[in-house]
Amino acid sequence: MNLYPIEAGNFKLDGGAMFGVVPKSLWHRTNPADNNNMIDIAARCLLIEDGNRLILIDTGMGNKQSEKFYGYYHLWGDNSIDKSLASYGFHRDDVTDVFMTHLHFDHCGGSIQYNKDRTVLEPAFKNADFWSNKDHWAWATLPNRREKASFLKQNILPMEESGRLKFTSLPNNSILNNSELGFDIFFANGHTDKQMIPMINYKGKTICFMADLLPTAGHLPIPFVMGYDTRPLLTLDEKEQFLNLAANNNYYLFLEHDAHNPIITVKHTEKGVRLNEVYTCKDIF
């Protein structure tokens, strides 16, 4: 097995929204904001090369939305999925599976694109199956008013229309062992219903793709919860459970949204689970 970080692009989000009720005087220490209160955010995906399978976890925002839409997110840098794939000798047509942790636009928008004439929406990975789970799919396709702006139909429905949509099994508890894609999955419901956190066994290490359960290293303190979470009190319990597992078992936490700390480990301290080490992707992969 080989793992490759895939940089789908960088953007900015409001620091207050990213940290909810936590005062700026606290979160600004780890996630400094610009003059507009915006903090740096990454869309760092992960490519798994395992036998005949090439599995891409999440796909970023994509490029099919309007200029006005992207103006809200202050895109920066020149990263893209195509550039990242090419740097490792791959093309998007090589991808066999696209696994979406959840269907918010910044995680799945790159899964669907316009055709050359911009008249029809089509899969951006024409040879890939798209993976979600039945509960989250139902949640996303009949969205609540809180999340409706994050679940964009043009990102979601074409997956089903393509005939390539598949669902993972659902666990009896919080962890699905040895899923259909060969890795364990931790299911978390605080951010959105049935968000999936892949846990990949890689050369004796457990690499955890943290999605929005832990957006950045600055979110390690248990009360540091995003304003975007639909069930913040549940997020508290899920973070505590997962971070204790991570500290006890020396998991390597792959941070999708942290623009400056790609991979971290954590440890137990008197204040709770806190940052241990920061790694680059080259350090681990």
Side-chain angles (χ1 to χ4, degrees), residues 96-139:
T96 61
D97 301 89
V98 174
F99 179 92
M100 294 159 292
T101 60
H102 59 299
L103 295 167
H104 287 166
F105 70 86
D106 57 317
H107 293 260
C108 76
S111 299
I112 300 298
Q113 64 185 8
Y114 276 111
N115 63 0
K116 291 181 179 180
D117 299 328
R118 292 189 65 83
T119 55
V120 177
L121 291 169
E122 61 183 15
F125 303 88
K126 66 180 184 181
N127 297 314
D129 291 327
F130 296 95
W131 290 85
S132 182
N133 65 75
K134 287 184 178 179
D135 285 5
H136 183 66
W137 185 264
W139 184 270

Side-chain angles (χ1 to χ4, degrees), residues 3-22:
L3 300 182
Y4 309 94
I6 302 297
E7 302 289 347
N10 299 319
F11 55 105
K12 291 179 179 286
L13 288 175
D14 183 85
M18 284 297 291
F19 285 91
V21 300
V22 178

Side-chain angles (χ1 to χ4, degrees), residues 80-226:
S80 73
I81 285 180
D82 290 310
K83 287 182 181 178
S84 285
L85 287 171
S87 71
Y88 303 116
F90 298 116
H91 185 273
R92 61 175 60 230
D93 292 351
D94 299 325
V95 175
T96 61
D97 301 89
V98 174
F99 179 92
M100 294 159 292
T101 60
H102 59 299
L103 295 167
H104 287 166
F105 70 86
D106 57 317
H107 293 260
C108 76
S111 299
I112 300 298
Q113 64 185 8
Y114 276 111
N115 63 0
K116 291 181 179 180
D117 299 328
R118 292 189 65 83
T119 55
V120 177
L121 291 169
E122 61 183 15
F125 303 88
K126 66 180 184 181
N127 297 314
D129 291 327
F130 296 95
W131 290 85
S132 182
N133 65 75
K134 287 184 178 179
D135 285 5
H136 183 66
W137 185 264
W139 184 270
T141 52
L142 295 171
N144 59 74
R145 286 177 288 181
R146 177 75 178 273
E147 290 180 274
K148 189 174 183 180
S150 294
F151 291 129
L152 305 181
K153 290 182 179 180
Q154 61 264 46
N155 287 338
I156 299 173
L157 298 183
M159 297 179 197
E160 185 174 38
E161 293 163 359
S162 74
R164 304 296 296 264
L165 178 65
K166 293 189 175 182
F167 295 127
T168 65
S169 302
L170 292 168
N172 294 323
N173 48 40
S174 59
I175 297 180
L176 175 65
N177 297 117
N178 195 28
S179 72
E180 292 86 345
L181 290 166
F183 47 75
D184 296 344
I185 302 171
F186 181 88
F187 282 75
N189 298 290
H191 178 62
T192 189
D193 198 62
K194 295 296 188 296
Q195 177 185 202
M196 299 189 287
I197 308 300
M199 304 168 65
I200 303 151
N201 187 353
Y202 173 73
K203 297 182 178 179
K205 301 179 177 69
T206 299
I207 311 296
C208 304
F209 187 95
M210 296 307 296
D212 281 339
L213 180 61
L214 187 72
T216 75
H219 287 84
L220 279 170
I222 299 302
F224 284 37
V225 172
M226 291 191 293

